[in-house]
Amino acid sequence: MSSHKIPRHSTVAVQVGQVTIGGDAPVVVQSMTNTDTADVAATVKQVHDLARAGSELVRITVNNEASAAAVPRIREQLDALGCDVPLVGDFHFNGHRLLADYPDCARTLAKYRINPGNVGAGQNRDAQFAAMIETAIKYDKAVRIGVNWGSLDKALVARMMDENVRRAEPLNSDLMTREIMVASALESAAMAEQLGLPRNKIVLSCKMSGVQDLIGVYQMLASRCDYALHLGLTEAGMGSKGIVASTAALAVLLQGGIGDTIRISLTPEPGGDRTQEVRVGQEILQTMGLRAFMPMVIACPGCGRTTSTTFQSLAQDIQSYLREQMPLWRAQYPGVEEMDVAVMGCVVNGPGESKHANIGISLPGTGERPAAPVYVDGAKFATLKGDRIADEFKAIVDDYVRSRYG
């Protein structure tokens, strides 16, 4: 699959560990743990799982002394596992104190996430925000100034609402909320720069939970700055609702060149796999042609011609197999992530789709001859029959990967 180049609005590149956000760098996928950070073993496991799934940054909660003290140990254990994913510290309310009291934590993290609405109130706000920025400067760390509509700075809201009332034509509540979000981000970024934090250490975000609100606020933000931007629909929800809402919002923005790093904030099902949000983020970018992360499986939806579930099972089996192989293949076979594999259910579109893919199989539909032709790079390669079609097709895929990308 060829990469689709869309000019992006941000011209400032931010280095976070070995990962570049913004400028000409590819859009970065990131995620966040939901473990108690003080539980080092559980946090290390989840960070490792997320990184193995493809998360290029992982954010962890740093909300108390125990979690701040645990950060260096988490980093040490990840390094021992050969996992070099940069860690981002998520700070609210007491971040200024934790960063000052736990310098090893401040040094270990690759980036700090600061919410302007939660750094302090009244006279304390500016001083506590400044303390966090000064720590970032001291240790040469990047900072995401992350505005969230659920926790806006009350003084800023009151000031801007008063200004709006005095306008000849006041803005409606939706537009006013967006204005406040953007003002919070830009005023905080300006303050950080005045304190000495370089522009290439700043990432901005303005997270909202409504699709149209998110699109509107980021279009407004992008029109007023060239900072690197983090995209994400906050509190996206669970299951298909969260996936659809996040995709609808982010696809519009990314197609417009807005966004340098993304996180899909899915509510996991009880006991669910946290890595799902990584896969969804990757699939958004890959289906848009912006990046390639793993081979894509093309499969038909099925119809009255495909009353057998064989092709559905094979498509699921192949997709799981490709995902399992990718951590190994990624290192050994550069370019394999751009491979297309077609698993089709009948003769109508099966041979054609199979020929367009790198490797394709057209399984027999209802009433068709019990044979499955396989195509490699557009040419008929073999015909599979019997009960071992899945294993034989995997073997063909393995051979193709070794010969094509080895």
Side-chain angles (χ1 to χ4, degrees):
M1 182 174 74
S2 60
S3 179
H4 183 50
K5 188 70 174 176
I6 296 175
R8 298 225 300 281
H9 102 283
S10 63
T11 59
V12 181
V14 179
Q15 199 67 31
V16 182
Q18 72 276 20
V19 176
T20 304
I21 300 173
D24 294 327
V27 179
V28 171
V29 175
Q30 61 177 281
S31 56
M32 184 176 184
T33 59
N34 61 357
T35 58
D36 178 355
T37 305
D39 185 338
V40 173
T43 303
V44 167
K45 182 182 184 306
Q46 193 171 82
V47 171
H48 188 255
D49 289 346
L50 290 166
R52 183 178 169 84
S55 184
E56 293 157 300
L57 299 173
V58 177
R59 183 158 42 113
I60 59 177
T61 298
V62 186
N63 61 330
N64 54 35
E65 294 185 352
S67 62
V71 169
R73 287 184 288 149
I74 292 168
R75 179 74 273 167
E76 288 172 4
Q77 292 189 24
L78 288 169
D79 290 343
L81 292 170
C83 179
D84 62 355
V85 65
L87 295 177
V88 180
D90 191 69
F91 294 98
H92 297 274
F93 310 114
N94 58 354
H96 61 289
R97 181 173 56 80
L98 293 174
L99 286 170
D101 292 348
Y102 292 87
D104 286 346
C105 169
R107 275 191 290 265
T108 298
L109 293 168
K111 186 173 73 161
Y112 310 153
R113 190 271 188 163
I114 303 174
N115 183 338
N118 288 341
V119 295
Q123 295 179 341
N124 293 328
R125 180 194 178 280
D126 288 354
Q128 290 172 186
F129 179 82
M132 298 181 77
I133 296 299
E134 287 164 359
T135 302
I137 295 168
K138 178 179 179 180
Y139 295 112
D140 193 29
K141 304 298 181 180
V143 172
R144 170 159 73 94
I145 297 173
V147 181
N148 192 301
W149 80 325
S151 52
L152 287 168
D153 177 50
K154 293 180 176 59
L156 176 65
V157 172
R159 187 194 86 205
M160 292 192 66
M161 293 298 286
D162 287 345
E163 291 171 357
N164 189 49
V165 169
R166 292 194 293 271
R167 290 181 178 178
E169 296 183 10
L171 299 176
N172 64 38
S173 59
D174 288 342
L175 286 176
M176 199 60 222
T177 299
R178 296 174 194 175
E179 286 283 354
I180 294 170
M181 297 273 291
V182 170
S184 178
L186 294 180
E187 288 181 11
S188 298
M191 186 184 302
E193 287 199 64
Q194 289 167 8
L195 290 166
L197 187 68
R199 201 173 188 81
N200 65 355
K201 293 292 183 181
I202 298 173
V203 180
L204 298 186
S205 69
C206 287
K207 288 194 168 187
M208 305 182 81
S209 59
V211 170
Q212 294 297 343
D213 290 323
L214 192 81
I215 293 170
V217 77
Y218 271 98
Q219 288 174 337
M220 183 183 293
L221 180 61
S223 72
R224 299 182 188 179
C225 75
D226 62 355
Y227 292 107
L229 299 182
H230 169 106
L231 298 187
L233 191 72
T234 191
E235 290 95 35
M238 182 179 286
S240 60
K241 183 268 178 185
I243 294 171
V244 170
S246 294
T247 304
L250 269 59
V252 171
L253 293 168
L254 290 166
Q255 188 66 22
I258 298 171
D260 304 286
T261 178
I262 64 173
R263 191 246 169 145
I264 310 301
S265 300
L266 297 179
T267 303
E269 296 178 2
D273 186 356
R274 190 68 168 178
T275 61
Q276 183 187 22
E277 66 175 49
V278 179
R279 293 195 296 274
V280 172
Q282 291 178 330
E283 287 166 2
I284 290 172
L285 295 176
Q286 185 150 352
T287 54
M288 291 183 69
L290 299 177
R291 288 190 68 182
F293 296 93
M294 65 170 287
M296 295 287 283
V297 175
I298 302 159
C300 65
C303 66
R305 291 175 177 270
T306 57
T307 53
S308 168
T309 61
T310 303
F311 89 96
Q312 298 168 335
S313 298
L314 181 59
Q316 184 179 47
D317 191 10
I318 291 297
Q319 185 157 285
S320 297
Y321 179 71
L322 295 174
R323 184 170 289 124
E324 290 166 3
Q325 295 302 308
M326 271 310 292
L328 175 64
W329 284 357
R330 190 179 292 116
Q332 292 189 353
Y333 304 115
V336 69
E337 64 275 4
E338 298 193 10
M339 181 175 69
D340 286 334
V341 179
V343 179
M344 305 302 292
C346 79
V347 75
V348 174
N349 291 320
E353 288 283 3
S354 296
K355 290 176 183 176
H356 286 303
N358 296 102
I359 307 173
I361 185 169
S362 180
L363 292 160
T366 305
E368 293 178 10
R369 187 168 59 91
V374 175
Y375 298 84
V376 175
D377 288 333
K380 178 80 171 290
F381 177 80
T383 299
L384 305 182
K385 299 179 182 180
D387 298 330
R388 299 193 65 255
I389 286 178
D391 290 337
E392 292 172 2
F393 187 63
K394 285 180 190 175
I396 292 172
V397 172
D398 285 339
D399 288 343
Y400 182 86
V401 169
R402 282 193 292 269
S403 62
R404 172 71 182 271
Y405 303 102

